Amino acid sequence: MSRCGEEVVSEESEEESNGVNLMEFSDEILLHILSYVPCTDLVLNVRRTCRKLATLCLDKSLTHTVLLQKDYKVNKDKVKQLMRDIGKEIYQLNMAGCYWLPSSTIDHVTRCKNLVKLNLSGCSVTSLRLSKMLSSLQHLRSLAIDVNPGFNASKLSSECKATLSRVSELKQTLYTPSYGVVPCCTSLEKLLLYFEILDRSREGFMLSGQLMVGESNVPHYQNLRIFYARLAPGYVNQEVVRLYLAVLSDRTPENLHAFLISAPGSFAETGATKNLLDSMARNVRLDALQLPKSWINGSGLLQHLKFNNPFYFSFSRCTLSGGHLIQRVINGGKDLKSLTSLNLSGCVHCLAPESVFRKAEDDIDSSILESLVVSCCNLRHLNLSAAHHHSSESLGNHLCQLLSRLKHLLSLALPVCSITDVGASVEKPPSTPNLVPQTFGRKVRIGVQTYPSNLGDQTNQKIESSVFWALMGSLRFLETLEIIGSSFSSAMPRNEPAIRNSLPPCVRAQSVGDSEVAAISQLTYLQSLTLAQLPNILTGSGLVNIGLQCQHLRTLSLANLGMMGKVVYMSALMDMLKHCKCLRDLRLEQPYFCAGAQFFQALSHCSALQRLCIVSRSGTLQSDAVMSFMASCLEVIMCHMFMGESLTVCKNLQQSIVRSFQAERPALNVVIFPLLHEDLTEVIRDVPMRHLDEITLFKSRVAEEPPNLWW
């Protein structure tokens, strides 16, 4: 896109002969076209091609908001020139995740005197540099920063604190126990906190989450409307967030309308948090709610909380039963047309009348799901993953048939066992839980194409009559789809060794395979696809159909498909990749995966690919093939490979990639390391949070956060 202006000039005669000249379009059309070009290209390249583009590229509609967060080609010199040319015209600047820029680059932000919104999450900023920058940004109202070890609020100047006192929106990512700049932000209306504090320092010392209570500034929360906290695993994160909550429990903001806490594992309720929830139940009406599972389980909290046109609910991993969900949340069928996002991930009993005396594998109560669908008819994001949702044999009451009524869905996450046809799973002989399904034993002839070239070669009638095929056909505008095994567990750790053993797939899931994957190819507008633990993948033929039909696919994550001792879908995957021209992120997790020359040759067809992550226990790689791939795919800036190779092989390859390509790709991030090595967790902590959170770690991302929570 940066060469568009040059092409206009050099091909002018050809355009005139064809009767089409880009410069003859109206300014409105040209501005719309230019809005898709990165701002750095517009200002530093395109505007220098001709007078008309020089004027249009500096139009306020293009310079008002500058997004650098995924402009991986930007470097410190480009940022300096950009700020010099249009700094005064920028009102919103997003540099989130620009981890490759030196901290001195932030100094140039001071040229943006009119900044109202600034996102520096993931950027390296010291206390002194932050103080100097904020001192000159008197109009700032929205700020996102990281708080790293060594942060010292006492180094903030009075001018900086004056700017912070006017900030109404603050997002802090905490890597050390601290209040950060919160005590200075006396006008906060939105507070987002991401806790990424490790329990141990790099030197191995245990960290404490104790803070000075006097620094918390109790009165400054009284204008708060949105409170969001997301915790990474670890005891210290829980300790620190309790200190923030203690302030809220002392005096709950009356205008609070969104209260969200995302905490993995067990997060015990205390007297202070109970007082906070009791106060909320008495004094506020919420539009968005998410609480740790232990705060909801076994309590009557939901019965007392009041809601006002809610748009987001998350009850992830709660033991909330379907009866409680219907009665306490939607009041037996109350109109909830305002609800756009619902996360029931890991709620194993949410589609059953009661959780007592019920096995997780028992059939769902379709009437509960029907009430949910009818009441929340405008849902755009729905997560039902990490649970067993088995439909009964009753006609017309299959989970897929009921979900097909949600015509506005944009993202959907389902467990594998929920999409199988009841008849197909019943006909299948029961499998022993600890054994691999019999279908895994099918032999594949070497040298012969093992998948049909198109759907016509399969049993169309059987495929197209399935409930999942019908569901995919009814959700034509779906952009994100996750089909994840209810017992799937990634081998990639968060803060623990990669030695966990995955549980066998659900019995109902064992009939899900190639035909169901082929049904996904109906989703013409699909942008993100996750498939994990589909046991009956025999050839991967459906992947080829997705590659052919889903031309907007940008993110693909595949994990544990088919038999575990062999990658049976390799040939189909390579054929699929040849058609994925828009693919930017690829994550593969599969034991015994061979990242060899043929694979990387196929992957080279993905010309837009930016990030690659491969996780494979006992997997192998060919260093020469990786180097050739990196040389041919110029957009790749992240290569993470956690395989079964030796530490020496991994280190040598990583050093070779960095040495060969770092100079041309400033954002290059390479981690190649043995998956089962004892130091893996130390390596993981150095991965930029943008990559770690978005691709390296496996998780369900549908309805993970409220829509448009920040940028």
Side-chain angles (χ1 to χ4, degrees):
M1 292 298 290
S2 62
R3 299 179 61 247
C4 72
E6 299 172 8
E7 293 171 357
V8 167
V9 176
S10 62
E11 299 178 8
E12 184 177 2
S13 59
E14 181 181 345
E15 290 173 343
E16 289 179 351
S17 64
N18 294 331
V20 178
N21 188 337
L22 185 64
M23 292 300 100
E24 293 180 354
F25 289 166
S26 67
D27 289 355
E28 290 76 11
I29 293 177
L30 288 174
L31 286 172
H32 181 73
I33 294 173
L34 293 173
S35 67
Y36 290 93
V37 182
C39 191
T40 50
D41 275 345
L42 287 178
V43 176
L44 305 182
N45 298 316
V46 179
R47 78 181 178 102
R48 304 184 189 280
T49 58
C50 67
R51 290 182 180 179
K52 184 167 186 177
L53 288 179
T55 302
L56 291 176
C57 287
L58 296 181
D59 188 86
K60 289 184 178 181
S61 65
L62 300 178
T63 59
H64 180 277
T65 300
V66 174
L67 307 177
L68 302 178
Q69 80 275 24
K70 288 195 175 182
D71 188 353
Y72 296 116
K73 294 183 179 180
V74 71
N75 55 34
K76 59 179 181 179
D77 294 329
K78 289 184 178 180
V79 173
K80 179 180 179 180
Q81 187 63 45
L82 185 70
M83 300 305 169
R84 181 180 298 169
D85 289 355
I86 64 167
K88 294 181 180 180
E89 309 300 324
I90 302 175
Y91 286 79
Q92 300 187 39
L93 176 62
N94 189 347
M95 298 178 64
C98 292
Y99 54 86
W100 62 92
L101 295 176
S103 57
S104 59
T105 310
I106 305 301
D107 296 340
H108 303 298
V109 177
T110 56
R111 293 180 178 272
C112 307
K113 302 294 184 181
N114 295 315
L115 263 187
V116 175
K117 192 168 187 176
L118 174 63
N119 192 339
L120 295 175
S121 295
C123 297
S124 178
V125 186
T126 63
S127 305
L128 288 175
R129 186 156 267 131
L130 180 67
S131 179
K132 179 182 176 182
M133 178 188 62
L134 293 182
S135 297
S136 62
L137 303 180
Q138 299 181 8
H139 301 287
L140 196 68
R141 296 296 180 268
S142 179
L143 175 66
I145 59 169
D146 291 353
V147 178
N148 292 296
F151 178 86
N152 188 347
S154 65
K155 295 182 178 180
L156 302 179
S157 66
S158 57
E159 294 84 358
C160 171
K161 292 179 180 180
T163 296
L164 288 171
S165 70
R166 294 185 289 269
V167 167
S168 59
E169 298 179 353
L170 176 66
K171 176 183 176 183
Q172 281 192 162
T173 303
L174 297 161
Y175 293 95
T176 187
S178 172
Y179 284 116
V181 299
V182 169
C184 303
C185 301
T186 56
S187 304
L188 280 182
E189 295 181 11
K190 178 190 289 189
L191 177 60
L192 276 58
L193 301 168
Y194 292 76
F195 295 88
E196 296 289 343
I197 311 167
L198 297 176
D199 289 345
R200 291 181 180 272
S201 67
R202 291 185 181 275
E203 296 73 26
F205 300 112
M206 292 292 294
L207 294 177
S208 171
Q210 296 301 313
L211 298 174
M212 295 290 290
V213 178
E215 297 177 355
S216 58
N217 275 351
V218 175
H220 298 163
Y221 290 99
Q222 291 317 299
N223 296 321
L224 206 61
R225 300 176 66 249
I226 298 175
F227 179 85
Y228 176 87
R230 194 185 79 177
L231 285 67
Y235 176 70
V236 175
N237 289 318
Q238 296 185 11
E239 275 193 319
V240 177
V241 78
R242 288 188 196 282
L243 295 175
Y244 282 86
L245 293 174
V247 178
L248 291 175
S249 64
D250 186 71
R251 185 180 173 190
T252 306
E254 295 180 359
N255 294 323
L256 192 68
H257 78 97
F259 187 76
L260 308 131
I261 300 178
S262 174
S266 176
F267 186 26
E269 191 177 12
T270 64
T273 56
K274 188 177 185 304
N275 291 338
L276 169 61
L277 296 175
D278 289 341
S279 176
M280 287 171 53
R282 291 192 305 269
N283 302 318
V284 301
R285 287 184 173 273
L286 296 174
D287 294 333
L289 176 69
Q290 179 176 10
L291 296 174
K293 62 179 183 180
S294 57
W295 297 14
I296 294 180
N297 295 343
S299 73
L301 173 65
L302 293 178
Q303 191 172 357
H304 302 291
L305 287 176
K306 305 177 189 70
F307 301 107
N308 180 40
N309 296 321
F311 62 89
Y312 177 81
F313 284 143
S314 177
F315 302 109
S316 180
R317 298 183 300 277
C318 293
T319 58
L320 189 69
S321 70
H324 289 165
L325 179 66
I326 298 300
Q327 295 301 324
R328 297 183 180 180
V329 179
I330 64 176
N331 294 333
K334 178 184 175 182
D335 182 4
L336 273 184
K337 292 181 180 179
S338 61
L339 194 68
T340 59
S341 189
L342 177 61
N343 190 344
L344 296 173
S345 173
C347 296
V348 295
H349 305 298
C350 68
L351 298 182
E354 298 295 338
S355 58
V356 183
F357 305 121
R358 180 186 181 273
K359 296 181 180 178
E361 296 82 3
D362 289 346
D363 290 347
I364 64 172
D365 185 334
S366 59
S367 65
I368 292 175
L369 180 58
E370 186 169 14
S371 297
L372 197 63
V373 167
V374 171
S375 301
C376 310
C377 57
N378 289 320
L379 276 178
R380 286 174 171 77
H381 314 280
L382 175 61
N383 194 328
L384 292 172
S385 65
H388 295 273
H389 295 317
H390 298 171
S391 298
S392 65
E393 297 185 57
S394 304
L395 295 177
N397 291 325
H398 194 283
L399 179 139
C400 290
Q401 293 171 319
L402 295 173
L403 292 183
S404 65
R405 303 181 189 178
L406 297 174
K407 302 299 182 182
H408 300 287
L409 278 181
L410 297 178
S411 64
L412 176 64
L414 295 174
V416 175
C417 56
S418 71
I419 70 172
T420 184
D421 281 284
V422 178
S425 60
V426 171
E427 292 171 6
K428 212 175 159 55
S431 303
T432 306
N434 295 322
L435 297 179
V436 177
Q438 294 179 0
T439 52
F440 288 179
R442 179 179 293 187
K443 296 182 179 179
V444 179
R445 293 177 59 194
I446 299 176
V448 177
Q449 189 178 29
T450 58
Y451 56 88
S453 58
N454 54 61
L455 285 177
D457 295 334
Q458 304 185 42
T459 312
N460 285 339
Q461 185 176 1
K462 178 181 177 181
I463 297 173
E464 297 183 14
S465 63
S466 72
V467 290
F468 184 63
W469 183 278
L471 175 63
M472 294 295 95
S474 66
L475 303 178
R476 292 300 179 95
F477 297 103
L478 201 68
E479 296 176 355
T480 299
L481 177 65
E482 298 177 352
I483 307 293
I484 304 174
S486 53
S487 54
F488 174 73
S489 179
S490 174
M492 192 65 210
R494 184 62 169 93
N495 292 325
E496 65 276 359
I499 56 176
R500 66 184 86 178
N501 293 318
S502 59
L503 297 173
C506 169
V507 174
R508 283 278 186 103
Q510 291 179 5
S511 63
V512 177
D514 298 318
S515 59
E516 284 75 18
V517 174
I520 298 172
S521 64
Q522 299 175 88
L523 302 175
T524 308
Y525 299 100
L526 188 66
Q527 296 184 21
S528 177
L529 174 63
T530 298
L531 300 174
Q533 201 180 40
L534 275 64
N536 204 32
I537 295 292
L538 302 178
T539 64
S541 58
L543 294 174
V544 184
N545 296 105
I546 293 174
L548 286 168
Q549 302 298 326
C550 304
Q551 288 295 300
H552 298 284
L553 191 65
R554 297 162 64 93
T555 301
L556 177 64
S557 176
L558 305 176
N560 291 11
L561 304 186
M563 60 192 302
M564 292 298 96
K566 186 175 183 179
V567 188
V568 295
Y569 60 94
M570 190 64 150
S571 181
L573 174 63
M574 290 189 294
D575 257 21
M576 175 195 190
L577 293 175
K578 295 175 183 178
H579 306 290
C580 297
K581 302 302 181 184
C582 293
L583 191 66
R584 295 196 177 184
D585 294 341
L586 175 62
R587 186 186 192 278
L588 297 173
E589 180 170 340
Q590 189 81 29
Y592 301 99
F593 189 89
C594 177
Q598 286 186 318
F599 167 73
F600 282 110
Q601 186 176 1
L603 190 58
S604 297
H605 288 85
C606 303
S607 55
L609 191 71
Q610 295 180 333
R611 300 191 290 185
L612 171 66
C613 178
I614 301 178
V615 179
S616 179
R617 186 176 298 186
S618 303
T620 59
L621 59 84
Q622 294 180 15
S623 298
D624 292 344
V626 179
M627 291 298 293
S628 298
F629 161 73
M630 292 295 296
S632 61
C633 288
L634 304 180
E635 301 296 321
V636 175
I637 54 86
M638 189 204 95
C639 181
H640 290 178
M641 303 179 71
F642 305 95
M643 315 286 281
E645 298 286 358
S646 68
L647 182 61
T648 301
V649 170
C650 292
K651 281 190 173 182
N652 288 340
L653 178 56
Q654 179 173 322
Q655 291 172 359
S656 296
I657 295 175
V658 172
R659 186 169 53 249
S660 300
F661 305 107
Q662 184 78 69
E664 300 173 355
R665 308 178 198 183
L668 185 65
N669 181 255
V670 183
V671 181
I672 301 177
F673 205 77
L675 179 63
L676 299 182
H677 196 280
E678 60 183 3
D679 293 333
L680 179 61
T681 53
E682 293 300 312
V683 172
I684 288 297
R685 70 187 297 173
D686 291 325
V687 174
M689 184 54 60
R690 170 174 293 281
H691 300 322
L692 188 66
D693 190 54
E694 292 181 356
I695 181 170
T696 305
L697 296 178
F698 184 96
K699 63 178 178 178
S700 176
R701 293 176 171 83
V702 172
E704 179 187 20
E705 295 180 345
N708 305 315
L709 185 61
W710 195 247
W711 279 71

